[in-house]
Amino acid sequence: MRTSEGSAVGGRARGELLDLTMPFSEKTIPVPGHPCPRFEPLTTLERDGVRNTTMTISIHTGTHIDAPSHFIPDGASIDEIPIDRFCRPGVRLDLREMSQPGEPITLEHLKEAGFDAAESRGAILMLASGWSDQAWQSERLYEANPYLAQDAAEAIAEALPSALGLDFAVDDTKPWPNHTILLGEEVLLIENLMRLPELPREGFDVMAFPLRLVGENGGPTRVVVELNR
């Protein structure tokens, strides 16, 4: 089996792959109040003949998926989500002209970008502001970010996409109502994505598989799209 770009996998020609995952290191900016990632050598080549590392993180740092149990008392944990929910056709809305640092992205903005509830149902809806590409290495990532307005969150929840992916904040501040609105309808949240402005509006598949953390409310995720040939 060949797996290089444009090669055949399982007899099918593969389209171009685009990695939307935020690079992860000790320099990755955590949510305010969460610990910075830490990596410590467990074994070394010189001493033990093999390299191994321990990692300490919040599971909501960097690119990750929120499961319903993150906010919903009886919500599903990340390991309980059917695996097909993480691999779906994608739809991207270009919000770059509507988004401003520290300002809400409203339902009207979504409509201007072409939001279609029927098109979004069951898909993975991607909201592209370009924010994380500008600010992912800066404390501004969580200090001056655009955020989703509540009317936009309600419309997306009603449309029932499999997941909502975005490169800016789901909520502004506590009590984080949009998380409850979306996760309450089992719309998974894929946060801290990058390179969303590079996507076409449609014609791509999203593969966003989180770690299978038993009983947990989310998981770090590698997110890749395949552009249809």
Side-chain angles (χ1 to χ4, degrees), residues 25-120:
S25 72
E26 290 188 339
K27 295 181 180 180
T28 301
I29 305 297
V31 176
H34 291 216
C36 292
R38 292 182 58 192
F39 297 85
E40 296 182 355
L42 179 63
T43 60
T44 68
L45 279 178
E46 295 77 12
R47 185 186 68 204
D48 308 291
V50 61
R51 289 191 181 104
N52 201 344
T53 305
T54 61
M55 178 174 67
T56 303
I57 64 168
S58 158
I59 60 176
H60 295 273
T61 303
T63 303
H64 65 277
I65 295 181
D66 290 354
S69 63
H70 188 35
F71 273 79
I72 308 304
D74 296 320
S77 57
I78 198 69
D79 61 305
E80 294 174 327
I81 306 298
I83 198 165
D84 71 283
R85 294 283 307 277
F86 304 120
C87 185
R88 294 288 178 93
V91 177
R92 188 215 64 170
L93 301 184
D94 188 348
L95 299 165
R96 285 175 290 177
E97 293 187 4
M98 298 83 157
S99 63
Q100 298 294 328
E103 296 295 325
I105 292 176
T106 66
L107 176 57
E108 186 60 33
H109 292 146
L110 297 187
K111 289 179 177 178
E112 288 179 33
F115 173 66
D116 184 311
E119 180 185 43
S120 302

Side-chain angles (χ1 to χ4, degrees), residues 170-209:
V170 176
D171 272 299
D172 181 18
T173 58
K174 290 182 179 180
W176 304 295
N178 294 336
H179 278 76
T180 300
I181 290 167
L182 290 157
L183 295 173
E185 295 296 332
E186 298 190 348
V187 177
L188 307 175
L189 300 178
I190 311 174
E191 300 187 272
N192 290 331
L193 292 169
M194 299 185 69
R195 302 178 69 185
L196 294 187
E198 298 179 37
L199 296 176
R201 175 179 170 77
E202 55 189 9
F204 62 92
D205 295 316
V206 182
M207 296 167 282
F209 296 107

